[in-house]
Amino acid sequence: MKSPIGVFDSGLGGLTVLRALRARLPAEDFLYFADTRFLPYGDRPEAFLKERGLVIAEALAARGAKALVIACNTATAAAAEAIRAATDLPVVALEPGVKPAAALTRRGIIGVLATTRTLESERFRRLVDNHAHHVRVLARACPGLAEAIEAHGPGSEQVAGHLDVFVTPLTAAGADVVVLGCTHYPWVAQAIAARLPADVRIVDTGEAVARQLERLLAAGQLLGGGGGRLAVATSGAPATVRETVIRLWGEPLPVEFWEI
Ligand code: DGL
């Protein structure tokens, strides 16, 4: 594969971002790394995630990536600055869509669903201070949800149980915009919407990330040259990842093991 774009996440949540990247940039190749050996990231210490982010960025660069997308809010919060400092490649990082949500809310109350680590990060605090100081932010950590989506699937009773606990109270609290602040959550966007009044807006950042990647590639004269190829690698068990890919992505993809 010639100069792909390297994309990574703790697991297969980043495929929700990849879907948007491929829709916008069909003439690119993508190399996706799922760090499933260390899933979930959401409960791990920041120092560990920073180290892991650096190792993965280096591995993707070593395999010829021309740009990097950190398709994980948790990894962005912990490692984006360190990765940017360590590489010359263009880096696109994700953060919860607090800014668009603060612009959309009419009632002045937004819900943010994300991992514990994301919500406790300095980066998230700054995001809220800079863009949502005038609204009420109901930040809801969802421990266990990303793992349940991967292990049991979006329609499972385990996922439903988590959503009942994490999402349903946002309605009583009056949120009229809900941010999917973890890349796993778009896999259950419908189930989340079903637990909220019909007029509640749900904010996902996939398309904004794709536009940002396109801008960076264009600025670096790196656009195009691929053929829509997609390769997947994991630090965990490829057979398990292949099964999860079928459940979430809807079609099989070859998955190889990387010892990193
Ligand atoms: N998909 C990740 C995110 O966007 C993290 C899920 C996890 O591993 O806890 O935050």
Side-chain angles (χ1 to χ4, degrees):
M1 194 186 267
K2 204 178 147 201
S3 296
I5 293 156
V7 181
F8 78 92
D9 178 38
S10 58
L12 299 177
L15 290 181
T16 63
V17 179
L18 188 72
R19 199 169 48 182
L21 301 181
R22 292 184 92 211
R24 183 152 196 108
L25 299 163
E28 301 294 343
D29 293 337
F30 291 91
L31 179 51
Y32 183 91
F33 181 74
D35 200 14
T36 54
R37 184 168 155 216
F38 296 107
L39 178 96
Y41 275 3
D43 307 318
R44 291 189 184 275
E46 189 174 300
F48 174 87
L49 295 174
K50 187 184 284 185
E51 190 51 41
R52 222 32 220 157
L54 286 167
V55 167
I56 295 166
E58 199 181 301
L60 290 166
R63 284 158 178 88
K66 64 179 176 181
L68 300 174
V69 178
I70 308 174
C72 174
N73 295 268
T74 313
T76 293
E81 282 172 32
I83 292 173
R84 285 207 166 102
T87 181
D88 292 333
L89 297 177
V91 177
V92 177
L94 246 87
E95 57 191 10
V98 166
K99 190 178 172 186
L104 279 172
T105 180
R106 288 165 187 226
R107 252 180 251 150
I109 307 175
I110 67 171
V112 182
L113 303 170
T115 67
T116 307
R117 182 62 50 225
T118 297
L119 296 177
E120 283 178 354
S121 68
E122 173 61 23
R123 200 178 165 110
F124 183 73
R125 196 189 57 73
R126 277 203 310 265
L127 185 66
V128 171
D129 284 354
N130 291 340
H131 301 293
H133 51 273
H134 56 294
V135 304
R136 208 170 137 216
V137 178
L138 308 169
R140 189 62 174 105
C142 307
L145 180 54
E147 301 99 285
I149 291 168
E150 295 231 353
H152 305 292
S156 64
E157 57 186 66
Q158 288 86 345
V159 165
H162 283 305
L163 295 181
D164 287 343
V165 173
F166 300 138
V167 179
T168 310
L170 293 175
T171 303
D176 61 351
V177 184
V178 172
V179 176
L180 306 183
C182 167
T183 55
H184 279 78
Y185 305 165
W187 291 127
V188 293
Q190 278 182 358
I192 289 173
R195 285 166 173 78
L196 297 166
D199 59 346
V200 171
R201 309 277 295 268
I202 293 185
V203 174
D204 172 20
T205 40
E207 279 172 34
V209 170
R211 284 196 300 274
Q212 171 67 357
L213 175 62
E214 186 176 38
R215 272 194 293 272
L216 282 187
L217 291 176
Q221 300 190 323
L222 294 166
L223 258 184
R229 285 178 288 266
L230 170 57
V232 180
T234 180
S235 56
T240 309
V241 173
R242 273 181 220 118
E243 279 170 26
T244 315
V245 162
I246 291 174
R247 206 180 300 134
L248 295 174
W249 187 253
E251 57 181 289
L253 293 172
V255 180
E256 67 173 23
F257 173 72
W258 286 2
E259 178 90 58
I260 62 166

PDB file of all heavy atoms in Angstrom, residues 199-233:
ATOM      1  N   ASP A 199     -36.743  15.659  19.578  1.00  0.00           N
ATOM      2  CA  ASP A 199     -36.132  16.926  19.145  1.00  0.00           C
ATOM      3  C   ASP A 199     -34.711  17.129  19.687  1.00  0.00           C
ATOM      4  O   ASP A 199     -34.088  18.157  19.432  1.00  0.00           O
ATOM      5  CB  ASP A 199     -37.026  18.115  19.535  1.00  0.00           C
ATOM      6  CG  ASP A 199     -37.248  18.182  21.035  1.00  0.00           C
ATOM      7  OD1 ASP A 199     -36.949  17.190  21.730  1.00  0.00           O
ATOM      8  OD2 ASP A 199     -37.717  19.236  21.518  1.00  0.00           O
ATOM      9  N   VAL A 200     -34.179  16.172  20.407  1.00  0.00           N
ATOM     10  CA  VAL A 200     -32.810  16.305  20.904  1.00  0.00           C
ATOM     11  C   VAL A 200     -31.832  16.042  19.756  1.00  0.00           C
ATOM     12  O   VAL A 200     -31.965  15.053  19.024  1.00  0.00           O
ATOM     13  CB  VAL A 200     -32.549  15.319  22.072  1.00  0.00           C
ATOM     14  CG1 VAL A 200     -31.071  15.298  22.445  1.00  0.00           C
ATOM     15  CG2 VAL A 200     -33.394  15.705  23.281  1.00  0.00           C
ATOM     16  N   ARG A 201     -30.876  16.963  19.581  1.00  0.00           N
ATOM     17  CA  ARG A 201     -29.885  16.807  18.509  1.00  0.00           C
ATOM     18  C   ARG A 201     -28.699  15.997  19.006  1.00  0.00           C
ATOM     19  O   ARG A 201     -28.256  16.171  20.142  1.00  0.00           O
ATOM     20  CB  ARG A 201     -29.385  18.189  18.053  1.00  0.00           C
ATOM     21  CG  ARG A 201     -30.493  19.179  17.717  1.00  0.00           C
ATOM     22  CD  ARG A 201     -31.009  18.989  16.323  1.00  0.00           C
ATOM     23  NE  ARG A 201     -29.981  19.276  15.320  1.00  0.00           N
ATOM     24  CZ  ARG A 201     -29.800  20.473  14.761  1.00  0.00           C
ATOM     25  NH1 ARG A 201     -30.558  21.492  15.122  1.00  0.00           N
ATOM     26  NH2 ARG A 201     -28.888  20.651  13.827  1.00  0.00           N
ATOM     27  N   ILE A 202     -28.185  15.141  18.140  1.00  0.00           N
ATOM     28  CA  ILE A 202     -27.028  14.323  18.513  1.00  0.00           C
ATOM     29  C   ILE A 202     -25.832  14.771  17.674  1.00  0.00           C
ATOM     30  O   ILE A 202     -25.934  14.884  16.445  1.00  0.00           O
ATOM     31  CB  ILE A 202     -27.350  12.833  18.320  1.00  0.00           C
ATOM     32  CG1 ILE A 202     -28.424  12.456  19.338  1.00  0.00           C
ATOM     33  CG2 ILE A 202     -26.099  11.975  18.497  1.00  0.00           C
ATOM     34  CD1 ILE A 202     -28.796  11.027  19.411  1.00  0.00           C
ATOM     35  N   VAL A 203     -24.721  15.065  18.334  1.00  0.00           N
ATOM     36  CA  VAL A 203     -23.549  15.603  17.637  1.00  0.00           C
ATOM     37  C   VAL A 203     -22.451  14.547  17.552  1.00  0.00           C
ATOM     38  O   VAL A 203     -22.000  14.017  18.563  1.00  0.00           O
ATOM     39  CB  VAL A 203     -23.009  16.858  18.375  1.00  0.00           C
ATOM     40  CG1 VAL A 203     -21.702  17.325  17.745  1.00  0.00           C
ATOM     41  CG2 VAL A 203     -24.037  17.970  18.372  1.00  0.00           C
ATOM     42  N   ASP A 204     -22.050  14.287  16.306  1.00  0.00           N
ATOM     43  CA  ASP A 204     -20.957  13.350  16.032  1.00  0.00           C
ATOM     44  C   ASP A 204     -19.921  14.138  15.230  1.00  0.00           C
ATOM     45  O   ASP A 204     -20.283  15.017  14.452  1.00  0.00           O
ATOM     46  CB  ASP A 204     -21.532  12.176  15.217  1.00  0.00           C
ATOM     47  CG  ASP A 204     -20.473  11.231  14.709  1.00  0.00           C
ATOM     48  OD1 ASP A 204     -19.357  11.224  15.261  1.00  0.00           O
ATOM     49  OD2 ASP A 204     -20.761  10.491  13.744  1.00  0.00           O
ATOM     50  N   THR A 205     -18.636  13.820  15.401  1.00  0.00           N
ATOM     51  CA  THR A 205     -17.621  14.685  14.790  1.00  0.00           C
ATOM     52  C   THR A 205     -16.965  14.091  13.539  1.00  0.00           C
ATOM     53  O   THR A 205     -16.056  14.697  12.980  1.00  0.00           O
ATOM     54  CB  THR A 205     -16.519  15.021  15.817  1.00  0.00           C
ATOM     55  OG1 THR A 205     -16.250  13.859  16.583  1.00  0.00           O
ATOM     56  CG2 THR A 205     -16.939  16.132  16.723  1.00  0.00           C
ATOM     57  N   GLY A 206     -17.415  12.910  13.102  1.00  0.00           N
ATOM     58  CA  GLY A 206     -16.764  12.228  11.980  1.00  0.00           C
ATOM     59  C   GLY A 206     -16.570  13.105  10.742  1.00  0.00           C
ATOM     60  O   GLY A 206     -15.463  13.176  10.189  1.00  0.00           O
ATOM     61  N   GLU A 207     -17.629  13.795  10.320  1.00  0.00           N
ATOM     62  CA  GLU A 207     -17.512  14.581   9.080  1.00  0.00           C
ATOM     63  C   GLU A 207     -16.581  15.768   9.230  1.00  0.00           C
ATOM     64  O   GLU A 207     -15.832  16.116   8.318  1.00  0.00           O
ATOM     65  CB  GLU A 207     -18.889  15.049   8.622  1.00  0.00           C
ATOM     66  CG  GLU A 207     -19.617  13.953   7.874  1.00  0.00           C
ATOM     67  CD  GLU A 207     -21.052  14.306   7.583  1.00  0.00           C
ATOM     68  OE1 GLU A 207     -21.337  15.505   7.356  1.00  0.00           O
ATOM     69  OE2 GLU A 207     -21.880  13.380   7.585  1.00  0.00           O
ATOM     70  N   ALA A 208     -16.617  16.399  10.403  1.00  0.00           N
ATOM     71  CA  ALA A 208     -15.719  17.540  10.642  1.00  0.00           C
ATOM     72  C   ALA A 208     -14.264  17.077  10.601  1.00  0.00           C
ATOM     73  O   ALA A 208     -13.387  17.771  10.074  1.00  0.00           O
ATOM     74  CB  ALA A 208     -16.040  18.172  11.991  1.00  0.00           C
ATOM     75  N   VAL A 209     -14.021  15.905  11.115  1.00  0.00           N
ATOM     76  CA  VAL A 209     -12.662  15.350  11.103  1.00  0.00           C
ATOM     77  C   VAL A 209     -12.226  15.074   9.661  1.00  0.00           C
ATOM     78  O   VAL A 209     -11.084  15.360   9.277  1.00  0.00           O
ATOM     79  CB  VAL A 209     -12.612  14.054  11.945  1.00  0.00           C
ATOM     80  CG1 VAL A 209     -11.290  13.325  11.764  1.00  0.00           C
ATOM     81  CG2 VAL A 209     -12.820  14.381  13.412  1.00  0.00           C
ATOM     82  N   ALA A 210     -13.124  14.558   8.867  1.00  0.00           N
ATOM     83  CA  ALA A 210     -12.803  14.279   7.460  1.00  0.00           C
ATOM     84  C   ALA A 210     -12.472  15.569   6.715  1.00  0.00           C
ATOM     85  O   ALA A 210     -11.527  15.623   5.919  1.00  0.00           O
ATOM     86  CB  ALA A 210     -13.977  13.551   6.794  1.00  0.00           C
ATOM     87  N   ARG A 211     -13.225  16.633   6.979  1.00  0.00           N
ATOM     88  CA  ARG A 211     -12.934  17.921   6.325  1.00  0.00           C
ATOM     89  C   ARG A 211     -11.570  18.443   6.752  1.00  0.00           C
ATOM     90  O   ARG A 211     -10.806  18.953   5.943  1.00  0.00           O
ATOM     91  CB  ARG A 211     -14.029  18.952   6.667  1.00  0.00           C
ATOM     92  CG  ARG A 211     -15.325  18.738   5.897  1.00  0.00           C
ATOM     93  CD  ARG A 211     -16.198  19.984   5.968  1.00  0.00           C
ATOM     94  NE  ARG A 211     -16.558  20.324   7.338  1.00  0.00           N
ATOM     95  CZ  ARG A 211     -17.606  19.808   7.989  1.00  0.00           C
ATOM     96  NH1 ARG A 211     -18.384  18.939   7.388  1.00  0.00           N
ATOM     97  NH2 ARG A 211     -17.868  20.170   9.232  1.00  0.00           N
ATOM     98  N   GLN A 212     -11.265  18.304   8.041  1.00  0.00           N
ATOM     99  CA  GLN A 212      -9.980  18.771   8.563  1.00  0.00           C
ATOM    100  C   GLN A 212      -8.820  17.975   7.930  1.00  0.00           C
ATOM    101  O   GLN A 212      -7.799  18.542   7.543  1.00  0.00           O
ATOM    102  CB  GLN A 212      -9.983  18.632  10.100  1.00  0.00           C
ATOM    103  CG  GLN A 212      -8.658  18.884  10.773  1.00  0.00           C
ATOM    104  CD  GLN A 212      -8.203  20.342  10.658  1.00  0.00           C
ATOM    105  OE1 GLN A 212      -8.859  21.157  10.025  1.00  0.00           O
ATOM    106  NE2 GLN A 212      -7.068  20.641  11.248  1.00  0.00           N
ATOM    107  N   LEU A 213      -9.014  16.666   7.796  1.00  0.00           N
ATOM    108  CA  LEU A 213      -7.968  15.846   7.166  1.00  0.00           C
ATOM    109  C   LEU A 213      -7.767  16.284   5.717  1.00  0.00           C
ATOM    110  O   LEU A 213      -6.626  16.436   5.251  1.00  0.00           O
ATOM    111  CB  LEU A 213      -8.356  14.357   7.227  1.00  0.00           C
ATOM    112  CG  LEU A 213      -7.404  13.410   6.490  1.00  0.00           C
ATOM    113  CD1 LEU A 213      -5.993  13.454   7.088  1.00  0.00           C
ATOM    114  CD2 LEU A 213      -7.931  11.964   6.524  1.00  0.00           C
ATOM    115  N   GLU A 214      -8.859  16.523   5.023  1.00  0.00           N
ATOM    116  CA  GLU A 214      -8.759  16.955   3.626  1.00  0.00           C
ATOM    117  C   GLU A 214      -7.977  18.275   3.514  1.00  0.00           C
ATOM    118  O   GLU A 214      -7.104  18.429   2.661  1.00  0.00           O
ATOM    119  CB  GLU A 214     -10.166  17.122   3.048  1.00  0.00           C
ATOM    120  CG  GLU A 214     -10.175  17.424   1.562  1.00  0.00           C
ATOM    121  CD  GLU A 214     -11.608  17.489   1.024  1.00  0.00           C
ATOM    122  OE1 GLU A 214     -12.503  18.010   1.738  1.00  0.00           O
ATOM    123  OE2 GLU A 214     -11.822  17.015  -0.092  1.00  0.00           O
ATOM    124  N   ARG A 215      -8.286  19.217   4.421  1.00  0.00           N
ATOM    125  CA  ARG A 215      -7.568  20.510   4.421  1.00  0.00           C
ATOM    126  C   ARG A 215      -6.074  20.312   4.647  1.00  0.00           C
ATOM    127  O   ARG A 215      -5.241  20.883   3.939  1.00  0.00           O
ATOM    128  CB  ARG A 215      -8.112  21.411   5.547  1.00  0.00           C
ATOM    129  CG  ARG A 215      -9.306  22.268   5.146  1.00  0.00           C
ATOM    130  CD  ARG A 215      -9.561  23.356   6.184  1.00  0.00           C
ATOM    131  NE  ARG A 215      -9.996  22.815   7.469  1.00  0.00           N
ATOM    132  CZ  ARG A 215     -11.266  22.567   7.791  1.00  0.00           C
ATOM    133  NH1 ARG A 215     -12.231  22.803   6.930  1.00  0.00           N
ATOM    134  NH2 ARG A 215     -11.584  22.079   8.974  1.00  0.00           N
ATOM    135  N   LEU A 216      -5.731  19.487   5.618  1.00  0.00           N
ATOM    136  CA  LEU A 216      -4.309  19.278   5.934  1.00  0.00           C
ATOM    137  C   LEU A 216      -3.576  18.586   4.783  1.00  0.00           C
ATOM    138  O   LEU A 216      -2.445  18.939   4.448  1.00  0.00           O
ATOM    139  CB  LEU A 216      -4.147  18.432   7.199  1.00  0.00           C
ATOM    140  CG  LEU A 216      -4.360  19.122   8.535  1.00  0.00           C
ATOM    141  CD1 LEU A 216      -4.004  18.188   9.677  1.00  0.00           C
ATOM    142  CD2 LEU A 216      -3.509  20.376   8.639  1.00  0.00           C
ATOM    143  N   LEU A 217      -4.227  17.601   4.172  1.00  0.00           N
ATOM    144  CA  LEU A 217      -3.596  16.903   3.048  1.00  0.00           C
ATOM    145  C   LEU A 217      -3.390  17.869   1.886  1.00  0.00           C
ATOM    146  O   LEU A 217      -2.335  17.884   1.245  1.00  0.00           O
ATOM    147  CB  LEU A 217      -4.454  15.711   2.590  1.00  0.00           C
ATOM    148  CG  LEU A 217      -4.557  14.521   3.554  1.00  0.00           C
ATOM    149  CD1 LEU A 217      -5.522  13.484   2.994  1.00  0.00           C
ATOM    150  CD2 LEU A 217      -3.200  13.873   3.820  1.00  0.00           C
ATOM    151  N   ALA A 218      -4.410  18.685   1.631  1.00  0.00           N
ATOM    152  CA  ALA A 218      -4.297  19.649   0.522  1.00  0.00           C
ATOM    153  C   ALA A 218      -3.160  20.633   0.794  1.00  0.00           C
ATOM    154  O   ALA A 218      -2.340  20.914  -0.086  1.00  0.00           O
ATOM    155  CB  ALA A 218      -5.621  20.386   0.328  1.00  0.00           C
ATOM    156  N   ALA A 219      -3.087  21.124   2.037  1.00  0.00           N
ATOM    157  CA  ALA A 219      -2.045  22.101   2.387  1.00  0.00           C
ATOM    158  C   ALA A 219      -0.653  21.502   2.214  1.00  0.00           C
ATOM    159  O   ALA A 219       0.294  22.194   1.849  1.00  0.00           O
ATOM    160  CB  ALA A 219      -2.239  22.582   3.814  1.00  0.00           C
ATOM    161  N   GLY A 220      -0.513  20.203   2.477  1.00  0.00           N
ATOM    162  CA  GLY A 220       0.798  19.553   2.349  1.00  0.00           C
ATOM    163  C   GLY A 220       1.010  18.921   0.986  1.00  0.00           C
ATOM    164  O   GLY A 220       1.971  18.182   0.792  1.00  0.00           O
ATOM    165  N   GLN A 221       0.098  19.189   0.056  1.00  0.00           N
ATOM    166  CA  GLN A 221       0.138  18.592  -1.291  1.00  0.00           C
ATOM    167  C   GLN A 221       0.237  17.067  -1.211  1.00  0.00           C
ATOM    168  O   GLN A 221       1.036  16.433  -1.894  1.00  0.00           O
ATOM    169  CB  GLN A 221       1.287  19.183  -2.093  1.00  0.00           C
ATOM    170  CG  GLN A 221       1.106  20.687  -2.223  1.00  0.00           C
ATOM    171  CD  GLN A 221       2.056  21.334  -3.194  1.00  0.00           C
ATOM    172  OE1 GLN A 221       3.204  20.935  -3.277  1.00  0.00           O
ATOM    173  NE2 GLN A 221       1.576  22.320  -3.915  1.00  0.00           N
ATOM    174  N   LEU A 222      -0.564  16.511  -0.339  1.00  0.00           N
ATOM    175  CA  LEU A 222      -0.537  15.068  -0.097  1.00  0.00           C
ATOM    176  C   LEU A 222      -1.842  14.382  -0.511  1.00  0.00           C
ATOM    177  O   LEU A 222      -2.030  13.195  -0.273  1.00  0.00           O
ATOM    178  CB  LEU A 222      -0.316  14.808   1.403  1.00  0.00           C
ATOM    179  CG  LEU A 222       1.040  15.226   1.986  1.00  0.00           C
ATOM    180  CD1 LEU A 222       0.993  15.236   3.509  1.00  0.00           C
ATOM    181  CD2 LEU A 222       2.133  14.291   1.491  1.00  0.00           C
ATOM    182  N   LEU A 223      -2.736  15.152  -1.117  1.00  0.00           N
ATOM    183  CA  LEU A 223      -4.060  14.596  -1.445  1.00  0.00           C
ATOM    184  C   LEU A 223      -3.989  13.546  -2.552  1.00  0.00           C
ATOM    185  O   LEU A 223      -3.286  13.723  -3.540  1.00  0.00           O
ATOM    186  CB  LEU A 223      -4.985  15.709  -1.929  1.00  0.00           C
ATOM    187  CG  LEU A 223      -6.039  16.277  -0.990  1.00  0.00           C
ATOM    188  CD1 LEU A 223      -6.885  17.299  -1.747  1.00  0.00           C
ATOM    189  CD2 LEU A 223      -6.928  15.204  -0.384  1.00  0.00           C
ATOM    190  N   GLY A 224      -4.770  12.463  -2.387  1.00  0.00           N
ATOM    191  CA  GLY A 224      -4.948  11.487  -3.465  1.00  0.00           C
ATOM    192  C   GLY A 224      -3.793  10.523  -3.615  1.00  0.00           C
ATOM    193  O   GLY A 224      -2.931  10.409  -2.753  1.00  0.00           O
ATOM    194  N   GLY A 225      -3.818   9.797  -4.710  1.00  0.00           N
ATOM    195  CA  GLY A 225      -2.736   8.863  -5.007  1.00  0.00           C
ATOM    196  C   GLY A 225      -3.014   7.449  -4.546  1.00  0.00           C
ATOM    197  O   GLY A 225      -2.248   6.531  -4.824  1.00  0.00           O
ATOM    198  N   GLY A 226      -4.131   7.249  -3.844  1.00  0.00           N
ATOM    199  CA  GLY A 226      -4.480   5.900  -3.397  1.00  0.00           C
ATOM    200  C   GLY A 226      -5.641   5.356  -4.201  1.00  0.00           C
ATOM    201  O   GLY A 226      -6.077   5.972  -5.176  1.00  0.00           O
ATOM    202  N   GLY A 227      -6.164   4.207  -3.745  1.00  0.00           N
ATOM    203  CA  GLY A 227      -7.266   3.606  -4.497  1.00  0.00           C
ATOM    204  C   GLY A 227      -8.368   3.105  -3.598  1.00  0.00           C
ATOM    205  O   GLY A 227      -9.037   2.124  -3.921  1.00  0.00           O
ATOM    206  N   GLY A 228      -8.531   3.749  -2.435  1.00  0.00           N
ATOM    207  CA  GLY A 228      -9.617   3.324  -1.545  1.00  0.00           C
ATOM    208  C   GLY A 228      -9.333   2.029  -0.803  1.00  0.00           C
ATOM    209  O   GLY A 228     -10.249   1.386  -0.306  1.00  0.00           O
ATOM    210  N   ARG A 229      -8.053   1.639  -0.728  1.00  0.00           N
ATOM    211  CA  ARG A 229      -7.716   0.396  -0.020  1.00  0.00           C
ATOM    212  C   ARG A 229      -7.760   0.608   1.485  1.00  0.00           C
ATOM    213  O   ARG A 229      -7.529   1.712   1.978  1.00  0.00           O
ATOM    214  CB  ARG A 229      -6.339  -0.104  -0.438  1.00  0.00           C
ATOM    215  CG  ARG A 229      -6.320  -0.749  -1.814  1.00  0.00           C
ATOM    216  CD  ARG A 229      -4.910  -1.186  -2.184  1.00  0.00           C
ATOM    217  NE  ARG A 229      -4.096  -0.011  -2.463  1.00  0.00           N
ATOM    218  CZ  ARG A 229      -3.917   0.497  -3.694  1.00  0.00           C
ATOM    219  NH1 ARG A 229      -4.491  -0.075  -4.726  1.00  0.00           N
ATOM    220  NH2 ARG A 229      -3.173   1.568  -3.871  1.00  0.00           N
ATOM    221  N   LEU A 230      -8.047  -0.478   2.175  1.00  0.00           N
ATOM    222  CA  LEU A 230      -8.132  -0.418   3.633  1.00  0.00           C
ATOM    223  C   LEU A 230      -7.484  -1.655   4.226  1.00  0.00           C
ATOM    224  O   LEU A 230      -7.830  -2.783   3.863  1.00  0.00           O
ATOM    225  CB  LEU A 230      -9.613  -0.343   4.042  1.00  0.00           C
ATOM    226  CG  LEU A 230      -9.946  -0.497   5.520  1.00  0.00           C
ATOM    227  CD1 LEU A 230      -9.220   0.541   6.362  1.00  0.00           C
ATOM    228  CD2 LEU A 230     -11.464  -0.362   5.732  1.00  0.00           C
ATOM    229  N   ALA A 231      -6.515  -1.427   5.114  1.00  0.00           N
ATOM    230  CA  ALA A 231      -5.879  -2.543   5.827  1.00  0.00           C
ATOM    231  C   ALA A 231      -6.074  -2.318   7.317  1.00  0.00           C
ATOM    232  O   ALA A 231      -6.067  -1.184   7.794  1.00  0.00           O
ATOM    233  CB  ALA A 231      -4.395  -2.596   5.486  1.00  0.00           C
ATOM    234  N   VAL A 232      -6.266  -3.410   8.055  1.00  0.00           N
ATOM    235  CA  VAL A 232      -6.501  -3.306   9.493  1.00  0.00           C
ATOM    236  C   VAL A 232      -5.456  -4.134  10.230  1.00  0.00           C
ATOM    237  O   VAL A 232      -5.111  -5.237   9.803  1.00  0.00           O
ATOM    238  CB  VAL A 232      -7.923  -3.809   9.855  1.00  0.00           C
ATOM    239  CG1 VAL A 232      -8.162  -3.705  11.355  1.00  0.00           C
ATOM    240  CG2 VAL A 232      -8.985  -3.025   9.088  1.00  0.00           C
ATOM    241  N   ALA A 233      -4.950  -3.593  11.322  1.00  0.00           N
ATOM    242  CA  ALA A 233      -4.008  -4.327  12.161  1.00  0.00           C
ATOM    243  C   ALA A 233      -4.422  -4.168  13.617  1.00  0.00           C
ATOM    244  O   ALA A 233      -5.128  -3.219  13.974  1.00  0.00           O
ATOM    245  CB  ALA A 233      -2.593  -3.790  11.957  1.00  0.00           C
TER     246      ALA A 233
END
